[in-house]
Structures are given as C-alpha cells and as structure tokens.
Amino acid sequence: MNVLKNQIYTVTITDMGSDGEGIGHLEDGYTLFVKDAVIGDVVKARIVKAKKGYAFARLEEITEPSADRVKTVCSFARQCGGCQIQALSYEKQIEFKNRKVKNNLIRIGGFEPDFVERLMEEPAGMEEPFHYRNKAQFPIGTDKSGRLITGFYAGRTHTIIENRDCALGAAENRKILDIILDFCEEKKIPAYEETTGEGLLRHVLIRKGFSTGQIMVCLIVNGASLPEEGVLADRLFERIAGMTSFSLNSNTENTNVIMGKKTRLIRGQERIEDTIGDLTFSISPLSFYQVNPVQTEKIYAQALSYAGLTGEETVWDLYCGIGTISLFLAKKAKAVYGVEIVPQAIEDAKRNAERNQISNARFYVGKAEEVLPEKYEKEGIYADVIVVDPPRKGCDGACLSTMARMKPKRIVYVSCDSATLARDLKYLCGNGYELVKGRIFDNFPQSVHVETVCLLNNRKTD
Ligand code: SAH
C-alpha cells in the first residue's frame, strides 16, 4: 500500500503491542500502530511515520469506542507517560498483560504455546487498581512565566505536565508538593535546567509506608544545600501527618539518573518503616523498595510457596534489595544469603534482619554476576534453592551460568520484564532446568508493566 504521512485512515484496532499501543490492519495487511487506541476501537488515525509494511499513526478520533474502553480517572492519562492503558477496562488490562507474558515466553523463550497455556496460573490482579503506589518522584521545572511547576514527564520526553494529583499515588503527595513549591517560590529558589546545568531543584521523592503511615521526603538538588532548609523542614513536619524523614540528596551530574550518591538528613529519622506480612522493614532513600505493597505481599507469598522450603534448605536470594524476600525465606530455611549491588540497601537488609530477630540471613554487597561466581569458585558455596529478582535487564550471563553449575533443586525467578525473563528461562531450560509454573502479578495497574513469578526444577534432582 502507498501510505503517506498525514493521510487519515479509518482502522479497527484488533490487538495491542507490548507498550500498550493499538494495532490495526489496512488492506493487504498493512499494519498501523496507534498509540492511545484500545482493542475493539474503530478510530481515525493520522499517519505520522510510514515504513514499508507498517506505519505509526496518531489517534485523531474514536469513531466507535470499544466495549472495553472506560473513562479515564485522570485527565492527563493521554499525555502522561505513566498510565499507558488507563482507557482499557481493568479486566482487559489483566488479560492484555497475561497475553503479553505468554507471547514473550513463546516468541523469545521458545516454549510451545500449549505448554505455556498449561503453565500459567490464574493472574493476580488488584481489587483497587488506583492509589496503590507508595513512592513517587516528581521532576521540578519552570513554566513559560517563570513559575515553578511539578508533575510528570510527557511520554518519552522531558516536558513536564503540571499535575500534583496522580491517580496512582498517595493522597498526601499533593500537600507535600504544595508546601515545597510554595516555599521555593517564596525563597526564590530556582529549578534545575537540564540544558544549562544551572538552578537547584531537580526532583522530589516521596515515599510512604502504607501500613505504618510514615512519610519520607527527599529533595534532590543540584548542590549540597537548600537556603533555609530548616524552615522548610518545620513546615513539612508541622503540616503533614506521619512526616518521619526529610533529607536532601545531591545530584550535580548532567544525567537522567534521578538520585545522586550523597544523602544528608535534615530532620527526623534517616529511614521510614513499613511492614509486609509479619515483618517490619527499614527503608532508606537510596534503597529499592517494591512500590505496590498490596501486590508485593502476594508476590512474596508466591515466591515462598514456589521455593518449597522445609527448614533444611540453603537459599541464595540474588538482587535482594533491603532483604525483603530473603527474610521471608529465612523464616522457613536453614540459611539465606542475599546479594545486592547498592551498599545502602545491604545496610538496610542487615538492620532488617536484626530488627526482625532473624539470625540465619547473611548479606553481601556486589554484583550478583561477580559475587556468585567468586563464592562458587573459591568457597564452593551450595544452594538448594536460588531466588532471583533482577531489574528489567534480567540476569547477567555469568550469573545464569553459575546458577546452572551450582545445580540448586529449584530456581524461583521473580521478573519485572517478561522479555528478559523469557530470554533467561530459555537459557536455564537449555542447561538442566525445567519450567514448571508461572503466574503474573499486576503490581502496576493502568501501566503496561507486569511482574511474573516462575518456578524451575532441576531435571536431575527432581
Ligand atoms: N528483591 C528485592 C529487590 C528487587 S529490585 C525486593 O523485592 O525488594 C532489583 C534489585 O537489584 C535492586 O535493589 C537493585 O539495586 C539490584 N541490582 C541491580 N543490578 C544488580 C546486580 N548486577 N547485582 C546485584 N543486584 C543488583
């Protein structure tokens, strides 16, 4: 087909891609990718970029809305990069995510479709799929009139869309942002400018322990201090119930990474606490902590059940963060060893073990792909079960090959990116393991992201 830029086509959306974009076909099977259109919509779409067999098009008008289309809760849903599929009913969001994971297991993992169908257990969605996030990071900028603004980046850009009422975040966020921005306007403290490297205010990080009500605010600045920071601390502690920790993080680099390495406490405690199940965790600003506590509890319970512990096992928990999974495992295992790259998180993990009177967990700082092979080659460490929970890029090859050589009876893989999960499962299944169960957990409703937990058994020791 001869499709040209700016032409408008009417198309029925029959599928959705992994980033939530609507997919429809014109004559000859020519494919249109239409962002913001959902499965079942009939839309008019304007061609933005045309290639040989496909084109990217912009949604101009919904001529027949899909039966699964819902009114978005947030009026910025379309511009903001956070909620790619808020316009799709929640039930269909779960179906979309389950299908996305299955497709990746088939296409990237090389598993048979029938096998994948049998493998995947009932998806675990949320009852209340809004206001579930315990953490938010708001960029600060300036509008055309020079006023300080905060909100969210428009999808794939660094343009800030002003919005202090995100439908995914905690109710307190708005008030905290109002206090901080009013204070900075009053004291004429400028926002950081990416292009010039000037200005001070970069981001506001807010974290809330949902079960304890404790709130942490960390201001990320292009410098070492904030004028009259004590005054801002007074206001936050006076006006925000649950305010527990206020700190300043310095990030003077020209980078997309939000947090710098140095954090200085201004008022309160360095860490906030939260509880998951019957364990209490201390969390410092630089440590990773799961953003959806309701779903996290379900994931950890699943990981624990897949681990099949009797009290006799030695378990390695790779990418352990502040030791959350490790400590749940430790209560049911003989010994647990956690590995994590961020030193502050390991400090938190050790503190958390002590706090919960768990004495059979040890933690190591370092890269999983370095610590594990080194301990295996030099000390001949052993594992009955290995649990991994890597970031989106998945496990490093050296980590996977060492796991295969250590031959644990079971491997539990917790993943936040099903493409890298499928890649890593393919390797493990080619190296002595068999995939026996899998289940998705919707930790990120309204977005295209999804968590998956899988169980692999060693073929020989089974
Ligand atoms: N299991 C934890 C953390 C999971 S997030 C929890 O449920 O809270 C992934 C963690 O892996 C992060 O804490 C991150 O800092 C850490 N990480 C990233 N790359 C790593 C690597 N190469 N080796 C070890 N840890 C790594």
Side-chain angles (χ1 to χ4, degrees), residues 276 286-291 296 299-300 317-326 339-343 345 364-371 387-396 399 414 416 451:
I276 306 176
L286 283 168
S287 297
F288 174 89
Y289 184 62
Q290 297 281 353
V291 299
T296 297
I299 289 202
Y300 289 176
D317 179 22
L318 309 179
Y319 312 88
C320 69
I322 63 171
T324 40
I325 300 181
S326 324
V339 183
E340 158 66 43
I341 198 169
V342 174
Y364 301 101
V365 180
K367 293 184 180 170
E369 62 271 25
E370 288 174 8
V371 173
V387 177
V388 298
D389 184 6
R392 286 190 196 158
K393 68 176 181 196
C395 294
D396 185 273
C399 178
V414 182
C416 56
E451 291 270 331

Side-chain angles (χ1 to χ4, degrees), residues 313-345:
E313 293 82 2
T314 298
V315 185
W316 280 75
D317 179 22
L318 309 179
Y319 312 88
C320 69
I322 63 171
T324 40
I325 300 181
S326 324
L327 297 186
F328 278 102
L329 294 164
K331 292 202 297 175
K332 298 261 164 75
K334 188 168 86 186
V336 174
Y337 300 91
V339 183
E340 158 66 43
I341 198 169
V342 174
Q344 287 86 348

Side-chain angles (χ1 to χ4, degrees), residues 399-413:
C399 178
L400 287 175
S401 67
T402 310
M403 282 162 61
R405 278 183 290 142
M406 282 172 74
K407 299 190 175 59
K409 289 191 201 75
R410 285 180 289 286
I411 295 175
V412 179
Y413 197 129

Side-chain angles (χ1 to χ4, degrees), residues 256-294:
N256 280 341
V257 177
I258 295 178
M259 306 277 288
K261 290 204 169 68
K262 267 210 194 112
T263 308
R264 177 168 57 85
L265 183 70
I266 297 178
R267 185 76 51 85
Q269 300 160 21
E270 278 177 31
R271 300 169 171 83
I272 56 165
E273 287 192 336
D274 196 21
T275 59
I276 306 176
D278 53 359
L279 295 177
T280 302
F281 297 98
S282 283
I283 311 147
S284 53
L286 283 168
S287 297
F288 174 89
Y289 184 62
Q290 297 281 353
V291 299
N292 183 332
V294 172

Side-chain angles (χ1 to χ4, degrees), residues 189-216:
I189 303 171
Y192 171 72
E193 281 282 341
E194 273 173 341
T195 41
T196 60
E198 281 167 20
L200 202 58
L201 306 166
R202 294 180 74 129
H203 274 87
V204 181
L205 164 76
I206 305 174
R207 219 175 220 171
K208 181 179 177 187
F210 276 17
S211 61
T212 57
Q214 296 186 1
I215 291 179
M216 163 186 285

